Amino acid sequence: MEEGSVQQAHVHAPPEGFLRKHVFSLDHKVIGKQYYGLALVAVFTGMILSWLMRIHMVWPTAKIPLLEHLSSAGAPGGVITPEYYLSLMTMHGTLMVFFVLTNAPFAAFGNYFLPIQIGAEDMAFPRFNMMSFWVTFTAWVVLMLAFFIPDGPPISGWTSYAPLSAVGKDAGPGMQYGMSLWGLSIAIFCIGSLLGALNFIATTLDLRAKGMTLMRMPLCTWAWFITSCIALLAFAVLLPACILLILDRHAGTSFYVPGGLVISDRLQPHSGGSPLLWQHLFWFFGHPEVYIAILPSMGIVSHILVNSMRKPLLSSKVVIYSMMSIGFLSYMVWGHHMFLSGMNPISALAFSFPTLTITIPATVLTLIWLGSLYGANIQINSASLFALGFISMFVAGGVSGFFLAQPSIDIYLHATYFVVGHFHMVMGVASLFGVFAGTYFWFPKMSGRMMSEPLGKLHFWITFIGTYCIFMPFHYLGLIGNVRRYQSFVDDFMAPYLGVHKFVTVVALITGAAQFLFLYNLIYSRFKGKPAPDNPWNATTLEWSIPSPPPWNNFGDRHPIVYHDPFQYGVKGSKGDYVMQDSPEQVVPASGD
Amino acid sequence: MSSTIASVNSQTNALPPPKRASAQAALVYERQERVSSSGIWVGVFAITMSFAAFTSALFVREGTTDWGHLELPSVLYINTLVLLMSTLTLESARRALAAGPFGNIEGTRKASAWVMITLLLGLAFCAGQFHAWQELRAEGIYLATNPNSSFFYLLTFLHALHVFVGILVLVYLAGRLMASHTTFRRSLFDNTAIYWHFMGGLWVYLLLLCRMKL
């Protein structure tokens, strides 16, 4: 004990034993990888659910082998029932939004790289950090249980609108126990996310290395920090919303269920509740959640672009301020999800205005990325391709937001495939492109091995083209009047457009299959990939100043001192055209500039 | 850098010698102090946000047809007094500890007495809240009886739950102080005090809210 050795001085002892090293680890890097693993399982589950939905939509009588064993009531003989289609849709949305888009870009990469990038040896509260993962994991287990109970998963969609979500079995299959599991799972998830956000904020504020001023933090650290502030507010509101839902369902209260409501020929034993209350509380969380998903990817993409362009962005400060104003504005726009809820037209206008305002910082960000790319000699690899793909998705999916933000247009487009196409591109795929870019970029650091570039590029092109082929037609289908959440369109006015749906289904199967290339690349490279040097991308930030993979205590007994901002590219340094953040050398502009 | 270590060392006077001997350990100690104090404020902010959400739910629900009136049990006012007294006693404990160098015998003895009193007052508050619920139940007013009672039980229960978490930490601190151990972190004490004061303030807010709206 007396030696004052590094081991005992570290915030926690070096991990010993399998459980401490890999399961209940206090090490932020292991916890980050655990989050990544959970997100990976969730994303493939969610993707397979979407396959099942797409197949059922265009071939409603198709027999899907094995599905009968999962749910004999939901898929008798392997044929999906209309109700089971809704169950699959609910689980797809819930898994993707909570366990993928919140976990992967924010919790997984944030946990792994935020402490290293600011020169800390670990998160502020390692035990809370471990708890937040295992609480999130419990939430996932509770949610997945819904597949294996006779009742099946709920049919209410990921938004679980009251009153149907609050009345129990009268609302349909899955709405009794399945819905209860959903509510419990999301409540647990909120607790995990709150613990995580608390940790991120305290770490960023207090544990920065000497010289690491706020403005010297890498852009992705900034994005994680802003996201954690958003998450702290958002999940602190979703948790009460879930508590009220659980009480309505199990304690006979009437927060959400109005009086005199008859569902399935039964008068519901509730009185006076407000279904709109759920929508307000849910969307007060739900809209910021969109930015919880996309902001970390914006940060990751900016981080990677600077590195592949070998020059700073036009203005990194404006990037930071734009991300901040997006975070701030995200709390003023939740009502734009409720234009059709019967709200006062004046409040619709009041929500429409900040929604349109939010496009200003978003456009500023895009212009900074594009303006910086102009004339840049960008190095093309899997990471930078996905970063460029992110910008493309963000713009293509974001532009339709201009239309949806206006109440008069939204009345027509509400709950159509136009909305589905919009949020899948701008929130779902764009954010995932950030995750893919981050994976190809940081995998060498996380595993000590390089990923296969040819496979990565193939993965990019199939995914990029596939995504456009899937979600662009959605916009046109929505304009035709194709309502979302309907299980099939074989015998209504949509029948002539079934060909479009068939095309989308086929492309979805191909694009989904390409994701297994990614999975193969990930697993193969983990064991057989080319060994990675400490700094394969000649990057400036602190994570590249330590070995790949990093030791348990990150910097060993070294306390990094930061001398520069992370944008010292295109300069003359001792190692090349860059100077690392912790390098004391003077920055000299490269000759010829 | 060296001045930080020196000041930290003076704070950790009473720590057992092996720990004091290590400058590295002192750095870790100082780091923990800093993050705990940010952590508690962030936590307080999150709890505030949750109760703000419940408040807005109450305002929405207030506008509906079956909203009535709930006569608050009078024991609540005694409870309020008890809880406010407990924040004063915990503050006395904190000041007794802060008066001398951390871990001095005199301060520790005083502090442990004050913490014990705080603990008793905290338990009395919880018992009092329980009594208030019993009183309402005796009148036939349950959680689901009407929206007013739903909000009353919900808000008071969640607040009591938070107070109970505070009590658990106080039990730990009291145990450490009584056994003349001073190996807990100073920040743990200060932050428990912040949390406890916040619980007092939150309760006054909830009482006013219940009185004016329910």
Side-chain angles (χ1 to χ4, degrees), chain A residues 339-483:
Chain A
F339 286 152
L340 255 68
S341 66
M343 64 158 63
N344 185 324
I346 294 174
S347 34
L349 192 67
F351 281 119
S352 174
F353 181 68
T355 307
L356 287 166
T357 312
I358 226 170
T359 59
I360 296 173
T363 310
V364 169
L365 274 175
T366 311
L367 289 178
I368 288 184
W369 289 324
L370 294 182
S372 313
L373 280 167
Y374 184 78
N377 186 15
I378 187 165
Q379 298 171 351
I380 294 296
N381 50 38
S382 309
S384 63
L385 277 176
F386 271 106
L388 294 173
F390 168 90
I391 301 176
S392 169
M393 286 297 151
F394 182 65
V395 173
V399 164
S400 47
F402 284 102
F403 299 90
L404 294 169
Q406 297 164 62
S408 49
I409 305 180
D410 186 60
I411 287 172
Y412 179 75
L413 294 173
H414 187 90
T416 65
Y417 269 69
F418 192 89
V419 178
V420 181
H422 163 71
F423 74 74
H424 271 90
M425 281 185 104
V426 78
M427 174 194 186
V429 180
S431 172
L432 279 183
F433 269 40
V435 174
F436 285 136
T439 307
Y440 286 110
F441 187 72
W442 279 314
F443 185 85
K445 183 52 64 184
M446 294 169 79
S447 69
R449 290 176 186 276
M450 305 296 287
M451 284 182 88
S452 156
E453 274 297 319
L455 268 183
K457 284 178 180 155
L458 185 64
H459 171 225
F460 168 77
W461 285 111
I462 300 179
T463 311
F464 184 74
I465 297 169
T467 312
Y468 270 103
C469 290
I470 295 169
F471 295 116
M472 268 300 161
F474 274 26
H475 291 79
Y476 304 112
L477 288 168
L479 287 171
I480 294 164
N482 194 347
V483 182

Side-chain angles (χ1 to χ4, degrees), chain A residues 273-588:
Chain A
S274 162
L276 278 187
L277 175 59
W278 169 263
Q279 291 193 28
H280 277 296
L281 291 175
F282 183 83
W283 286 118
F284 188 84
F285 147 80
H287 200 80
E289 165 65 28
V290 173
Y291 297 100
I292 293 173
I294 196 86
L295 270 179
S297 289
M298 287 175 172
I300 293 170
V301 163
S302 307
H303 188 72
I304 293 172
L305 280 182
V306 171
N307 174 266
S308 6
M309 295 186 305
R310 314 302 300 167
K311 65 170 194 168
L313 292 175
L314 288 183
S315 169
S316 51
K317 272 190 184 156
V318 175
V319 168
I320 294 167
Y321 296 143
S322 297
M323 291 196 295
M324 278 179 179
S325 35
I326 288 176
F328 176 73
L329 284 168
S330 72
Y331 280 98
M332 305 184 158
V333 298
W334 80 90
H336 71 218
H337 295 270
M338 299 167 60
F339 286 152
L340 255 68
S341 66
M343 64 158 63
N344 185 324
I346 294 174
S347 34
L349 192 67
F351 281 119
S352 174
F353 181 68
T355 307
L356 287 166
T357 312
I358 226 170
T359 59
I360 296 173
T363 310
V364 169
L365 274 175
T366 311
L367 289 178
I368 288 184
W369 289 324
L370 294 182
S372 313
L373 280 167
Y374 184 78
N377 186 15
I378 187 165
Q379 298 171 351
I380 294 296
N381 50 38
S382 309
S384 63
L385 277 176
F386 271 106
L388 294 173
F390 168 90
I391 301 176
S392 169
M393 286 297 151
F394 182 65
V395 173
V399 164
S400 47
F402 284 102
F403 299 90
L404 294 169
Q406 297 164 62
S408 49
I409 305 180
D410 186 60
I411 287 172
Y412 179 75
L413 294 173
H414 187 90
T416 65
Y417 269 69
F418 192 89
V419 178
V420 181
H422 163 71
F423 74 74
H424 271 90
M425 281 185 104
V426 78
M427 174 194 186
V429 180
S431 172
L432 279 183
F433 269 40
V435 174
F436 285 136
T439 307
Y440 286 110
F441 187 72
W442 279 314
F443 185 85
K445 183 52 64 184
M446 294 169 79
S447 69
R449 290 176 186 276
M450 305 296 287
M451 284 182 88
S452 156
E453 274 297 319
L455 268 183
K457 284 178 180 155
L458 185 64
H459 171 225
F460 168 77
W461 285 111
I462 300 179
T463 311
F464 184 74
I465 297 169
T467 312
Y468 270 103
C469 290
I470 295 169
F471 295 116
M472 268 300 161
F474 274 26
H475 291 79
Y476 304 112
L477 288 168
L479 287 171
I480 294 164
N482 194 347
V483 182
R484 71 192 279 205
R485 295 187 174 177
Y486 280 24
Q487 52 104 21
S488 185
F489 307 99
V490 280
D491 51 3
D492 62 9
F493 77 100
M494 284 304 299
Y497 305 104
L498 203 62
V500 182
H501 272 301
K502 277 189 178 153
F503 169 75
V504 169
T505 299
V506 171
V507 180
L509 290 170
I510 297 169
T511 314
Q515 306 316 307
F516 286 97
L517 277 181
F518 170 72
L519 190 65
Y520 170 78
N521 196 350
L522 207 61
I523 296 170
Y524 178 84
S525 308
R526 168 68 185 78
F527 297 103
K528 295 274 170 69
K530 211 168 67 182
D534 288 352
N535 189 358
W537 315 115
N538 293 334
T540 57
T541 42
L542 290 181
E543 75 263 34
W544 304 106
S545 70
I546 54 176
S548 310
W552 68 273
N553 50 2
N554 292 352
F555 296 93
D557 50 0
R558 187 163 73 91
H559 291 281
I561 298 174
V562 174
Y563 298 91
H564 309 287
D565 66 32
F567 311 110
Q568 299 304 331
Y569 290 102
V571 296
K572 201 169 171 340
S574 56
K575 291 177 185 163
D577 67 339
Y578 66 104
V579 172
M580 295 196 73
Q581 281 195 280
D582 63 342
S583 158
E585 58 190 293
Q586 291 288 314
V587 174
V588 186

Side-chain angles (χ1 to χ4, degrees), chain A residues 38 41-42 95 99 135-145 185:
Chain A
L38 181 61
V41 172
L95 280 171
F99 294 92
V135 168
T136 308
F137 181 80
T138 310
W140 176 76
V141 170
V142 170
L143 183 73
M144 294 306 282
L145 274 180
S185 162

Side-chain angles (χ1 to χ4, degrees), chain A residues 9 11 123 206 236 254 271-272, chain B residues 24 28 31 34 38 50 61 66:
Chain A
V11 282
M123 281 283 187
D206 290 326
S254 303
S271 72
Chain B
Q24 286 280 357
V28 170
R31 176 203 119 113
R34 263 186 302 149
S38 316
S50 291
R61 194 65 177 80
D66 61 341

Side-chain angles (χ1 to χ4, degrees), chain A residues 1-2 4-5 8-11 121-126 194 198 201-202 205-207 210 232-233 236-237 239-240 243-244 247 251-255 271-274 277 281 284 557 559, chain B residues 1 18-19 21-25 27-28 31-32 34-40 42-43 45-47 49-51 53-54 56-58 60-61 64-66 143-144 147 150-151 154 158 185:
Chain A
M1 275 293 273
E2 286 89 303
S5 63
Q8 66 141 312
H10 193 73
V11 282
E121 43 196 331
D122 207 309
M123 281 283 187
F125 309 105
L194 285 171
L198 189 149
I201 295 174
L205 290 180
D206 290 326
L207 296 186
K210 200 172 177 212
L232 191 79
L233 258 89
V237 172
L239 181 58
I243 291 174
L244 297 184
L247 287 179
T253 56
S254 303
F255 293 108
S271 72
S274 162
L277 175 59
L281 291 175
F284 188 84
D557 50 0
H559 291 281
Chain B
M1 195 69 159
K19 287 213 169 166
S22 152
Q24 286 280 357
L27 267 180
V28 170
R31 176 203 119 113
Q32 263 336 100
R34 263 186 302 149
V35 295
S36 315
S37 117
S38 316
I40 196 71
V42 176
F45 181 78
I47 297 171
M49 197 61 207
S50 291
F51 278 92
F54 282 121
S56 71
L58 191 152
V60 170
R61 194 65 177 80
T64 50
T65 48
D66 61 341
L143 174 69
S150 302
F151 273 107
L154 176 71
L158 287 177
R185 293 196 313 272

Side-chain angles (χ1 to χ4, degrees), chain B residues 9 21 31 70 116 122 129-130 133 139 175 177 188 199 203:
Chain B
N9 271 340
R31 176 203 119 113
L70 183 79
M116 282 310 286
Q129 295 295 80
F130 187 73
W133 298 329
E139 292 172 35
L177 285 167
L188 182 64
M199 280 303 134
W203 172 248

Side-chain angles (χ1 to χ4, degrees), chain B residues 31 48 53 74 77 84 94 101 104 120 139 169 176-177 182:
Chain B
R31 176 203 119 113
T48 307
S74 49
Y77 302 106
L84 290 181
R94 199 187 65 79
N104 70 87
L120 291 176
E139 292 172 35
V169 183
R176 294 259 116 176
L177 285 167
T182 46

